[in-house]
Amino acid sequence: MRTVKNAWTFGRGLFRAKLVCLAALAASGSLAGCARLLTITQDDYINTAVHMNRPAASRTGDPLEINIVCVTAADLKLDCNDRLAPGEGITSDVWFQDRPISGDKADMDDRAGRFYLPKSQIFVMTYDKQFYGTKAGTPLRGAATDKEKTLEREFEFSGGLHNDQSVIYVFGKFIGPDGRVMAVPPAELHPPGAYTRDLFVRIGVDSSREFYGQYIDNETPRKLHGKEED
């Protein structure tokens, strides 16, 4: 039987999320954040812009690296993170150009324009052997190749869920025909507490959109802000 690493069933994900939340509550006396379960739905072919110069039938796409990025109000106190603030319009090309690298520290003066976030707040789906953050699996290759239309990834958001400066981004490393990362907007969940614990994004190709149709959308139902348990 084929084993799929880093995937969890829906029920197990909810159970683990509850355990993490209870542990955090017991340890601190208040719940600052808890586990989120992200369900990603993918089209049969994704990240296809890199193949735009091929015949239509062979535009099958390249593997798509995904970064789940958790930004808190404390992170935005650092000047280097201004562009990560909600509403600033951060795009994938900027994130992948300026994301933190190994050795970066919060108090560094010479960061060459890079952002700074703790490794525990970045979850990476990549083939790379070296990366900054927590490994969350391998890149997406589209449902036709992965044989999975949906998959799940669990991660923890430790910031203020209802703080207006808190945000979760899901970036895709969409590559254009010139080999460069395109300025595709990420899926944005702001503030995280305005959504249920179970988050949903969709990745696909829609010819009516910019960037050769490449997109990643937040499809999570919004709940009543601050009125439900997180």
Side-chain angles (χ1 to χ4, degrees):
M1 179 180 294
R2 183 169 62 92
T3 300
V4 181
K5 294 182 179 180
N6 296 311
W8 297 271
T9 63
F10 183 77
R12 185 181 178 188
L14 288 179
F15 178 71
R16 289 188 62 188
K18 290 177 181 179
L19 288 181
V20 172
C21 290
L22 289 173
L25 182 61
S28 65
S30 64
L31 187 58
C34 60
R36 309 276 108 175
L37 184 67
L38 176 68
T39 298
I40 302 172
T41 300
Q42 59 176 339
D43 284 358
D44 284 346
Y45 302 104
I46 60 174
N47 200 20
T48 59
V50 69
H51 293 165
M52 279 298 109
N53 294 325
R54 294 183 178 184
S58 61
R59 296 173 188 170
T60 54
D62 274 1
L64 179 67
E65 180 177 331
I66 300 294
N67 284 190
I68 304 166
V69 179
C70 302
V71 181
T72 71
D75 300 320
L76 295 180
K77 292 179 180 179
L78 297 175
D79 291 342
C80 64
N81 290 332
D82 288 349
R83 293 168 294 165
L84 290 173
E88 287 298 308
I90 183 75
T91 51
S92 293
D93 57 330
V94 175
W95 167 254
F96 284 103
Q97 173 183 288
D98 293 335
R99 59 182 171 175
I101 63 174
S102 180
D104 279 354
K105 298 179 181 179
D107 58 355
M108 286 178 60
D109 293 326
D110 183 15
R111 194 177 283 109
R114 293 188 301 275
F115 304 115
Y116 176 75
L117 297 171
K119 291 182 179 180
S120 60
Q121 293 174 212
I122 302 172
F123 303 86
V124 183
M125 297 171 63
T126 184
Y127 287 136
D128 292 344
K129 299 297 184 183
Q130 295 184 348
F131 56 87
Y132 184 97
T134 298
K135 186 71 174 286
T138 56
L140 301 177
R141 300 177 298 168
T145 299
D146 285 337
K147 308 304 181 185
E148 291 182 289
K149 189 71 173 179
T150 63
L151 65 158
E152 296 170 346
R153 294 292 182 264
E154 193 175 60
F155 66 97
E156 185 173 353
F157 182 84
S158 59
L161 289 168
H162 294 288
N163 191 304
D164 284 340
Q165 297 299 296
S166 294
V167 60
I168 296 171
Y169 295 112
V170 185
F171 291 99
K173 196 175 184 180
F174 296 97
I175 307 298
D178 60 358
R180 298 180 181 180
V181 182
M182 296 188 296
V184 178
E188 181 175 342
L189 297 113
H190 169 249
Y195 299 90
T196 62
R197 181 179 293 115
D198 305 310
L199 310 176
F200 301 87
V201 301
R202 184 179 185 93
I203 298 171
V205 182
D206 178 351
S207 60
S208 68
R209 302 198 190 196
E210 290 186 272
F211 309 110
Y212 304 94
Q214 314 302 303
Y215 72 86
I216 177 168
D217 285 350
N218 172 19
E219 293 193 335
T220 313
R222 197 172 177 91
K223 67 179 185 177
L224 294 175
H225 183 83
K227 299 298 184 181
E228 301 178 22
E229 292 184 2
D230 295 314

